Amino acid sequence: MYWNSLSEFLAMGGYGFYVWGSFGLTFAVMTIELWLLKKRQKRVMQLVKQEAI
Amino acid sequence: MGLLASNRELTADNLVGVRGDRLLFEKLNFKCSNGTVLYLQGANGTGKTTLLRTICGLSKPHAGVIKWCGENINALAEDFHQHVLYIGHLPGIKEDLTALENLQFSLALSGSNVMEDKATAVLKMLGLAHGLNLPTRMLSQGQKRRVALARLWLQDLPLWILDEPFTALDTSATDLLKQKIEAFAHDGGIVVMTTHQEVTLHVPKFEQLRLDA
Amino acid sequence: MGLLASNRELTADNLVGVRGDRLLFEKLNFKCSNGTVLYLQGANGTGKTTLLRTICGLSKPHAGVIKWCGENINALAEDFHQHVLYIGHLPGIKEDLTALENLQFSLALSGSNVMEDKATAVLKMLGLAHGLNLPTRMLSQGQKRRVALARLWLQDLPLWILDEPFTALDTSATDLLKQKIEAFAHDGGIVVMTTHQEVTLHVPKFEQLRLDA
Amino acid sequence: MKNLATKSGFNWLKYASPKTFYPLAGKLIPWCAISAATLIAYGLYIGLLVAPTDFQQGEGYRIIFVHVPAAWFSMFLYLLMALYAGMGLVFNAKLSYLMATAIAPTGAMFTLLALVTGSLWGKPMWGAWWVWDARLTSELILLFLYIGYISLQAAIDDKTRADKASAVLALVGAINVPIIFFSVKWWNTLHQGSSISLTKAPAMAAIMLQGMLIMAIGFWLYSIAVILMRVRCEILERDSKTAMFRQD
Amino acid sequence: MHKKLSTFSVLYKILERDIKVAWRRQSDVMAVFFFFIIAASLFPLGSGADPKLLNAMAPSVLWVTALLSCMLSLSRMYASDYADGTLEQMMLSNQPTVLIVLMKILAHWMLSGLPLVFVAPLIGLQFNLSGAQLQILALSLLMGTLALSLIGSIGATLTLGIRGTGVLIAILVLPLYIPVLVFGAGAVNAVSIGVSPNGALSLLGAVLAMALVFAPLASTAALKIALE
Amino acid sequence: MHKKLSTFSVLYKILERDIKVAWRRQSDVMAVFFFFIIAASLFPLGSGADPKLLNAMAPSVLWVTALLSCMLSLSRMYASDYADGTLEQMMLSNQPTVLIVLMKILAHWMLSGLPLVFVAPLIGLQFNLSGAQLQILALSLLMGTLALSLIGSIGATLTLGIRGTGVLIAILVLPLYIPVLVFGAGAVNAVSIGVSPNGALSLLGAVLAMALVFAPLASTAALKIALE
Ligand code: HEM
Ligand SMILES: Nc1ncnc2c1ncn2[C@@H]1O[C@H](COP(=O)(O)OP(=O)(O)OP(=O)(O)O)[C@@H](O)[C@H]1O
Ligand SMILES: Nc1ncnc2c1ncn2[C@@H]1O[C@H](COP(=O)(O)OP(=O)(O)OP(=O)(O)O)[C@@H](O)[C@H]1O
Ligand SMILES: [Mg+2]
Ligand SMILES: [Mg+2]
């Protein structure tokens, strides 16, 4: 483990905004992509079920 | 049908129609009262479309006046428009919208608010059941025309102006439309129309006007 | 008429037509030899236009083949096109050019070079005398159609494909066109056409094909 | 209705029909998703907790663990998309088109991420959110190419036509990508000016490289999972439309 | 059988439909947006990467590009309604044509001008503009693009039914756009050289007010002529 | 009754007709021309009158404007032939479609690219460009605009029959235009900084050659797809 304390970890040597910004954005965008896909999947499934009736 | 009950009259006084430098018709007079179907005839290019557009006020006549219940339609402007239903060569539908959306919009334009299920019912009756939710671009020529004509079943306007309404329609649609026009005239509506097809309409007053003369 | 003398044959083998995701026709077969008029019938939206476009090679069939004198038209490509005259819903004329210019261009496209006086004579015969030097934009609906149809009188192609050719034509133009089709069939031409109007044609072989089935 | 794929005579294409593919993809997705999550978590662990600081850039360099994999996949996915599009045109195989369609949004997303994380890196390193450097500019153009593809696909609602037309575009783009990248490079060398190029990697520590690679494989598996999910949706949507039409 | 709609709801329907049509092909809404981004990025590619030069070019480049992207979508404003006959139907509607025209202009602005207000600052970052410059850029675009839609509507109606409209509209409209451009870009330039942008902004406001009064009237007149 | 026309004369007729149609509405031919002049003149208006800045901006501004004006007329390239059915007839002609496409591209270039080669130097004078710069500007435009028409044709055919085409074409085509812009404006910039423009010009030539080979093929494929 490279870090000594949590606050040091969060500060990232003064680059906190940029580092956490990049990591945060990356995973936020990936999660949103997944979430949108799930929503689309649900909608499609509903449509298919409707037609099956 | 409230609107249709009262007495209406459409008259033309010495109309002169000119397109470009060409005189199309001259000294044209007619008078249509409730229950009349005025049927314009004439070879291609004799000025039927021009006359219809003049009657609804889209073009100004070169000379002469058109009166609605005794008043010049140019003076009436919107007060006249709210009584007219015009369907021309162009269908007036957006290819990006569905049949239903198109119909609702064209109804809204003339200020009437029709329930969705009523509109749907009419479209289905016109054989557009499967195309209700398709953009009209994906419809065939005749299906597009049907969407445009659907307004006739949903609006209470006393004057219809129809330019070749039977174009591209198959026989079943033609029959439906004929019946609708007949019913409308019996209820006291006034229709001015053209077509190159043979039509026999059973209406209170059927008048013909030839433009070639 | 050199081209028409020889034996030609248009056949369809198990055609399947699909538009978007919709199945329009299936297992369609026909065979047209010299002198045949094949008359497609069907309500609006049953796929007549789609079939005609498939026959001339504009759309590919979903399955099945169309053969011209025994060869697949997709393989023939331009060698097939030089035998086909297609007139669709769209007139294929430029509104900025005059009737004569339009006619000459559409003839040139299929490689035939027709004298100006010959073309002028046909346009006059079709009642377009006064519009010869007007941009077609200034013509009426029916006059535009006449310009598009004028090619029929000037080209020696053995196969005509006509989508609702009578649309917007008045009775005199309709008669002219009917006579031309009859004469063409008697000379050994093949015609595939649709129309919603009633037509009776006196031709060597008159075949009907309903698409609703 | 006849299956399009069988017509072409390529045996393997029979297995590439959407119908066979749908359940297969369904089985693959969870495996890809799980391994993607694991690898990304491990990569994050290395990148954020284990790797030491960079002696030049301080902790700011840690952005590399997301930036570089995103940049790689932005380019790789474009090539893959063009490949599928080309196969679609050549073999008239529906599934190929579907794959190309499904890849585009993910590719565009990674391009956007490379741009944004790059900017977030650039601000502390260069003092500017953006410089007109050859590599950055190329990446921006790549985003435009993706946008073009997606816009065209969205603008045509006849799906068959949309597939084919956007496939043509993807191929044209693929021919152009090398030319574009090359021209941008040339443009930048002519005007040396003040442009700052991305520094040569300073003998990257093995642990950093390891973290980056793990992260990249994680992103790759994520892409596969997401793309397969999207293909499945696409198959169902198109299929259900067919069913809808058949009813009347 | 049916009830009458109020003027307000008819107008709302017109606005709603324009937005719905545009939304149906989301690509359309996005398109003006992306055009702006892509076209603005072309200038650095044409001129090399000198940040000082880029910064000096930025106000004019961004404003001219915004202007061109609003203008590009003008031909779409009435053309399709004209081609398919909807416009005829609108003229035959029982609502005053001026109001209908105003709604169409509003829809155009919401779909093509407004989005630019939000992206322009982002692109501004690529040209190294400062915070103050970015702020004034956004503000001037907010007022300016509405004026562009209003003035543009005149060009769009005048050229209805004429083929090859895109370029013709451009010629008609660009000279009328000049005041908007001069005051809009002028406001940003003022910040660059450390002068107050208020003068330029209030002149821009005056242009906007004039356009609000006259443009709908002129468009209505042009429409009537086009349909005759 | 009639004689057969040679391939050559059919192709010539196609070219002739496009030019005739454009000529019939002279406004169209003039339009690209004027758009270029007006748009290029907007930049000085937007940026104040610093002659040094203008001179530095000039190559990119002139080239980007030329590019945009060629692009604006793209939507006209096939659209009207598509709408009125002439394009169908062309596909059914007994000539190979590639050749027909090539003729349409040539006509587009002659009507929208070529005129710019002649006005651009005039506008260049307004930006204080030197004689050598003006020469290379004209030469690079001569080659570049042909490449623009070729590449543009791909965008135009891909978007046939899609509404709101203008902006969509722009998005498709602008990224593909970048090499042409870089080498074209690059050649002029090279002269400005005293370097030989030959490198840039020969690269531009290479791009043009590539476009000549691939663009007609891609357009033909796109056309067939559009008409299917
Ligand atoms: C083609 C896409 C890109 C690739 C393949 C890529 C790849 C890389 C790689 C491998 C590194 C680390 C090694 C090195 O320092 O050279 C890096 C560093 C960096 N990248 Fe990128 N990158 C791309 C795009 C971008 C973009 C679009 C931006 C900014 C908007 C950006 C900003 C940075 C910064 C600021 C660094 C650190 C700079 C430095 O070490 O001096 N990159 N990139
Ligand atoms: N825009 C125009 N400018 C000048 N003249 C025109 C214009 N449009 C039509 N015309 C001319 O006006 C005449 C009448 O046209 P109109 O469209 O009214 O005929 P129509 O009777 O409706 O014919 P059709 O039966 O073919 O529809 C035509 O001879 C035509 O040449
Ligand atoms: N671009 C398209 N995309 C998807 N489906 C379409 C498209 N064009 C037409 N269709 C569908 O294909 C069917 C057949 O259309 P087609 O135009 O061939 O009919 P048609 O028999 O010619 O009808 P009409 O008599 O009305 O001209 C229609 O039901 C229509 O909904
Ligand atoms: Mg008429
Ligand atoms: Mg049809």
Side-chain angles (χ1 to χ4, degrees):
Chain A
M1 180 70 71
Y2 168 78
W3 304 96
N4 298 318
S5 71
L6 183 66
S7 59
E8 198 180 294
F9 177 58
L10 289 180
M12 277 287 159
Y15 293 112
F17 171 75
Y18 302 106
V19 173
W20 293 121
S22 321
F23 279 80
L25 254 166
T26 303
F27 292 102
V29 169
M30 285 162 80
T31 318
I32 290 173
E33 192 191 19
L34 265 177
W35 175 70
L36 284 175
L37 255 176
K38 278 275 176 220
K39 234 175 60 172
R40 181 171 167 193
Q41 212 165 27
K42 219 181 258 167
R43 208 182 46 230
V44 174
M45 283 303 183
Q46 239 162 22
L47 209 83
V48 171
K49 255 187 225 132
Q50 260 176 16
E51 279 160 16
I53 297 165
Chain B
M1 294 236 182
L3 272 169
L4 302 186
S6 52
N7 280 328
R8 312 275 176 175
E9 203 177 52
L10 179 77
T11 46
D13 252 0
N14 276 314
L15 276 192
V16 180
V18 170
R19 227 34 237 268
D21 309 309
R22 208 158 153 243
L23 180 69
L24 294 175
F25 46 82
E26 223 182 353
K27 306 262 164 65
L28 199 78
N29 291 290
F30 59 79
K31 181 174 287 191
C32 303
S33 54
N34 293 42
T36 307
V37 170
L38 176 63
Y39 178 48
L40 297 184
Q41 286 175 299
N44 291 138
T46 43
K48 301 179 296 299
T49 299
T50 309
L51 178 56
L52 291 185
R53 290 175 63 87
T54 312
I55 294 176
C56 35
L58 283 169
S59 312
K60 301 260 171 311
H62 185 76
V65 279
I66 296 165
K67 290 185 188 153
W68 177 244
C69 306
E71 287 192 69
N72 190 329
I73 59 163
N74 286 335
L76 289 172
E78 277 103 30
D79 293 333
F80 173 56
H81 291 160
Q82 70 184 23
H83 295 150
V84 187
L85 199 164
Y86 169 66
I87 296 180
H89 279 308
L90 296 168
I93 55 177
K94 272 260 138 335
E95 304 225 310
D96 285 328
L97 296 181
T98 66
L100 186 60
E101 286 166 339
N102 266 303
L103 179 56
Q104 284 182 315
F105 177 72
S106 56
L107 292 171
L109 251 194
S110 38
S112 44
N113 191 10
V114 172
M115 291 296 118
E116 186 169 319
D117 50 352
K118 244 194 135 69
T120 311
V122 167
L123 288 173
K124 283 200 176 135
M125 187 262 304
L126 286 171
L128 293 165
H130 100 267
L132 281 178
N133 296 314
L134 287 182
T136 42
R137 172 161 4 94
M138 299 208 172
L139 299 181
S140 79
Q141 198 79 352
Q143 289 169 327
K144 283 180 199 164
R145 292 289 309 177
R146 290 172 187 219
V147 176
L149 292 166
R151 293 171 61 194
L152 299 178
W153 276 262
L154 287 162
Q155 271 181 309
D156 259 350
L157 304 180
L159 174 60
W160 289 0
I161 297 183
L162 310 176
D163 200 351
E164 305 196 22
F166 300 108
T167 302
L169 295 184
D170 59 19
T171 40
S172 71
T174 307
D175 286 343
L176 277 173
L177 179 58
K178 262 190 215 162
Q179 284 159 19
K180 183 66 198 168
I181 293 176
E182 286 168 0
F184 175 68
H186 279 289
D187 281 345
I190 303 175
V191 182
V192 185
M193 60 182 279
T194 72
T195 164
H196 292 298
Q197 269 117 316
E198 297 282 310
V199 275
T200 37
L201 290 167
H202 304 283
V203 293
K205 283 174 245 165
F206 188 71
E207 290 181 20
Q208 307 201 356
L209 186 64
R210 282 204 75 80
L211 283 188
D212 327 55
Chain C
M1 295 236 181
L3 273 169
L4 302 186
S6 51
N7 279 331
R8 313 274 176 179
E9 203 178 52
L10 179 77
T11 46
D13 252 0
N14 276 314
L15 277 192
V16 180
V18 169
R19 222 39 232 268
D21 301 307
R22 200 157 164 247
L23 180 69
L24 294 175
F25 45 82
E26 223 180 351
K27 305 260 161 68
L28 199 79
N29 291 292
F30 60 78
K31 181 175 284 193
C32 302
S33 54
N34 292 43
T36 309
V37 170
L38 175 65
Y39 179 47
L40 297 184
Q41 285 175 302
N44 291 137
T46 42
K48 300 179 295 301
T49 299
T50 309
L51 179 56
L52 291 184
R53 290 173 63 88
T54 312
I55 294 177
C56 38
L58 283 170
S59 312
K60 303 256 173 308
H62 186 76
V65 279
I66 295 164
K67 289 186 187 150
W68 176 243
C69 305
E71 288 191 69
N72 190 330
I73 59 163
N74 286 336
L76 289 172
E78 278 101 30
D79 292 333
F80 174 58
H81 291 161
Q82 71 184 19
H83 295 149
V84 187
L85 200 163
Y86 168 69
I87 297 180
H89 278 309
L90 297 168
I93 55 178
K94 274 262 138 333
E95 304 225 309
D96 286 327
L97 297 181
T98 65
L100 186 60
E101 285 167 338
N102 267 303
L103 180 56
Q104 284 182 316
F105 176 71
S106 56
L107 291 172
L109 252 193
S110 37
S112 44
N113 190 10
V114 172
M115 290 296 120
E116 187 168 318
D117 49 352
K118 244 190 136 72
T120 312
V122 168
L123 288 173
K124 281 196 177 138
M125 187 265 300
L126 286 171
L128 292 165
H130 99 270
L132 280 179
N133 296 313
L134 287 181
T136 41
R137 174 170 0 100
M138 298 208 174
L139 299 181
S140 80
Q141 199 77 353
Q143 290 169 327
K144 283 179 200 164
R145 292 290 308 174
R146 291 172 185 221
V147 176
L149 291 167
R151 291 172 64 194
L152 299 179
W153 277 262
L154 288 163
Q155 273 180 307
D156 259 350
L157 304 181
L159 174 61
W160 289 0
I161 296 183
L162 310 175
D163 200 351
E164 304 196 24
F166 299 109
T167 302
L169 295 185
D170 59 19
T171 40
S172 71
T174 307
D175 286 343
L176 276 173
L177 179 57
K178 262 192 218 162
Q179 284 159 19
K180 182 67 197 167
I181 293 177
E182 287 169 359
F184 176 68
H186 278 291
D187 281 345
I190 302 175
V191 182
V192 186
M193 60 181 281
T194 71
T195 164
H196 293 297
Q197 269 119 317
E198 297 283 311
V199 274
T200 37
L201 290 168
H202 304 285
V203 293
K205 284 173 245 168
F206 189 70
E207 289 180 21
Q208 305 201 359
L209 185 64
R210 282 204 75 82
L211 283 189
D212 327 54
Chain D
M1 206 179 303
K2 204 168 159 190
N3 186 348
L4 275 176
T6 53
K7 211 171 50 181
S8 58
F10 281 79
N11 215 16
W12 59 271
L13 276 176
K14 201 156 70 189
Y15 302 101
S17 91
K19 255 193 210 117
T20 352
F21 185 74
Y22 184 85
L24 182 70
K27 274 186 215 129
L28 275 173
I29 290 170
W31 293 105
C32 292
I34 291 169
S35 23
T38 323
L39 281 170
I40 289 175
Y42 186 50
L44 280 178
Y45 168 74
I46 293 183
L48 290 173
L49 298 174
V50 177
T53 189
D54 184 85
F55 72 101
Q56 272 183 334
Q57 306 194 1
E59 311 301 346
Y61 92 96
R62 287 179 199 278
I63 294 175
I64 207 172
F65 293 107
V66 281
H67 170 72
V68 172
W72 283 347
F73 280 102
S74 65
M75 292 180 292
F76 177 69
L77 288 178
Y78 189 88
L79 288 181
L80 198 64
M81 179 181 90
L83 188 71
Y84 274 118
M87 281 190 355
L89 282 178
V90 173
F91 302 119
N92 197 13
K94 217 172 187 170
L95 187 59
S96 278
Y97 290 129
L98 287 176
M99 283 300 286
T101 314
I103 289 172
T106 304
M109 182 203 75
F110 278 129
T111 316
L112 192 68
L113 282 178
L115 287 170
V116 173
T117 54
S119 287
L120 281 167
W121 200 353
K123 184 68 182 171
M125 292 302 132
W126 308 326
W129 294 102
W130 182 266
V131 294
W132 288 94
D133 162 271
R135 207 187 309 178
L136 312 203
T137 309
S138 309
E139 187 76 1
L140 185 65
I141 295 168
L142 188 64
L143 180 66
F144 297 157
L145 288 173
Y146 273 120
I147 289 172
Y149 179 91
I150 295 171
S151 309
L152 184 62
Q153 181 98 34
I156 308 178
D157 26 30
D158 176 352
K159 286 297 173 201
T160 338
R161 187 185 158 195
D163 282 341
K164 290 184 186 168
S166 48
V168 171
L169 182 70
L171 280 187
V172 171
I175 298 173
N176 265 273
V177 163
I179 305 177
I180 291 174
F181 284 11
F182 162 68
S183 71
V184 169
K185 201 167 180 124
W186 189 85
W187 154 77
N188 205 50
T189 48
L190 179 65
H191 317 279
Q192 262 311 323
S194 57
S195 78
I196 312 155
S197 57
L198 305 181
T199 53
K200 311 268 169 306
M204 209 182 281
I207 186 77
M208 288 188 206
L209 196 63
Q210 189 193 339
M212 233 166 62
L213 282 177
I214 288 170
M215 208 61 169
I217 299 171
F219 276 25
W220 176 223
L221 288 165
Y222 165 87
S223 310
I224 296 177
V226 170
I227 290 166
L228 290 182
M229 275 170 76
R230 198 175 283 121
V231 171
R232 273 164 61 96
C233 285
E234 201 80 30
I235 290 175
L236 278 189
E237 260 168 23
R238 295 187 186 191
D239 238 42
S240 67
K241 239 192 213 151
T242 323
M244 220 157 69
F245 289 133
R246 295 277 168 63
Q247 273 177 6
D248 48 71
Chain E
M1 177 171 171
H2 62 229
K3 36 185 176 98
K4 280 274 160 200
L5 289 169
S6 68
T7 298
F8 180 77
S9 40
V10 173
L11 294 182
Y12 176 74
K13 286 252 154 129
I14 292 173
L15 188 62
E16 187 198 13
R17 188 201 60 140
D18 270 19
I19 289 172
K20 200 192 269 172
V21 171
W23 200 243
R24 197 53 50 90
R25 28 185 76 267
Q26 288 139 340
S27 61
D28 254 26
V29 195
M30 297 284 114
V32 184
F33 206 83
F34 290 136
F35 172 78
F36 175 75
I37 298 176
I38 297 177
S41 315
L42 288 180
F43 288 91
L45 284 167
S47 67
D50 176 6
K52 279 246 292 288
L53 174 61
L54 287 180
N55 188 290
M57 284 168 71
S60 71
V61 163
L62 289 176
W63 246 99
V64 172
T65 318
L67 188 154
L68 293 178
S69 28
C70 284
M71 195 198 66
L72 273 186
S73 55
L74 283 180
S75 52
R76 238 173 37 211
M77 201 166 177
Y78 299 93
S80 76
D81 281 344
Y82 175 78
D84 62 22
T86 316
L87 209 54
E88 282 176 3
Q89 298 292 351
M90 288 188 180
M91 302 289 284
L92 292 178
S93 144
N94 54 359
Q95 303 302 329
T97 316
V98 184
L99 289 181
I100 295 181
V101 166
L102 204 58
M103 284 302 111
K104 302 243 2 139
I105 295 174
L106 204 59
H108 179 262
W109 179 65
M110 289 170 62
L111 292 168
S112 66
L114 203 51
L116 298 188
V117 178
F118 299 102
V119 263
L122 266 179
I123 309 296
L125 277 181
Q126 292 195 330
F127 287 82
N128 295 314
L129 291 184
S130 70
Q133 284 174 312
L134 292 176
Q135 241 173 2
I136 296 301
L137 177 66
L139 185 60
S140 65
L141 281 176
L142 183 67
M143 298 159 65
T145 49
L146 181 54
L148 294 181
S149 291
L150 284 160
I151 299 172
S153 157
I154 304 176
T157 45
L158 280 175
T159 54
L160 263 186
I162 300 177
R163 243 147 303 271
T165 314
V167 197
L168 189 57
I169 290 188
I171 294 179
L172 292 180
V173 150
L174 283 182
L176 300 175
Y177 276 1
I178 287 175
V180 182
L181 171 68
V182 169
F183 299 135
V188 188
N189 278 322
V191 182
S192 316
I193 57 172
V195 179
S196 157
N198 291 349
L201 284 179
S202 53
L203 285 169
L204 184 58
V207 173
L208 175 59
M210 291 266 294
L212 259 173
V213 176
F214 291 111
L217 293 175
S219 305
T220 308
L223 261 190
K224 291 208 167 126
I225 294 168
L227 284 175
E228 191 142 293
Chain F
M1 179 170 173
H2 61 231
K3 33 184 176 103
K4 280 274 159 199
L5 287 169
S6 67
T7 298
F8 181 78
S9 38
V10 173
L11 295 181
Y12 175 73
K13 288 255 154 122
I14 293 174
L15 188 65
E16 186 199 13
R17 188 202 60 142
D18 270 20
I19 290 172
K20 203 191 265 173
V21 171
W23 200 245
R24 207 48 58 86
R25 30 183 77 265
Q26 287 136 344
S27 63
D28 254 24
V29 194
M30 298 285 111
V32 186
F33 209 81
F34 285 132
F35 173 80
F36 176 74
I37 298 176
I38 296 175
S41 318
L42 287 179
F43 288 90
L45 289 172
S47 64
D50 176 6
K52 277 244 296 283
L53 175 62
L54 284 183
N55 188 288
M57 285 170 70
S60 74
V61 164
L62 290 176
W63 247 98
V64 172
T65 319
L67 189 154
L68 291 178
S69 28
C70 283
M71 194 201 68
L72 274 184
S73 54
L74 282 181
S75 52
R76 233 174 42 211
M77 201 166 176
Y78 299 92
S80 78
D81 281 344
Y82 177 76
D84 63 21
T86 316
L87 211 51
E88 285 175 359
Q89 297 293 348
M90 288 187 179
M91 302 285 286
L92 291 179
S93 142
N94 55 358
Q95 303 302 329
T97 316
V98 184
L99 290 181
I100 296 181
V101 166
L102 203 58
M103 284 303 111
K104 304 257 339 155
I105 295 174
L106 204 60
H108 179 262
W109 178 64
M110 288 170 63
L111 292 167
S112 67
L114 204 51
L116 299 187
V117 178
F118 299 103
V119 264
L122 283 176
I123 310 294
L125 282 178
Q126 292 188 342
F127 286 82
N128 296 317
L129 289 185
S130 71
Q133 284 174 313
L134 292 178
Q135 240 173 0
I136 297 299
L137 177 67
L139 185 60
S140 66
L141 281 176
L142 183 68
M143 296 159 67
T145 48
L146 181 54
L148 295 180
S149 291
L150 283 160
I151 299 172
S153 159
I154 303 176
T157 45
L158 281 174
T159 55
L160 263 184
I162 301 174
R163 245 142 301 272
T165 312
V167 197
L168 186 59
I169 289 187
I171 293 178
L172 298 187
V173 149
L174 284 182
L176 302 179
Y177 274 1
I178 285 173
V180 181
L181 170 67
V182 166
F183 298 134
V188 188
N189 278 322
V191 180
S192 315
I193 59 170
V195 178
S196 158
N198 292 348
L201 286 178
S202 52
L203 286 169
L204 184 58
V207 172
L208 175 59
M210 290 269 296
L212 260 172
V213 175
F214 288 111
L217 292 175
S219 304
T220 307
L223 260 190
K224 292 207 168 130
I225 293 166
L227 285 175
E228 192 147 289

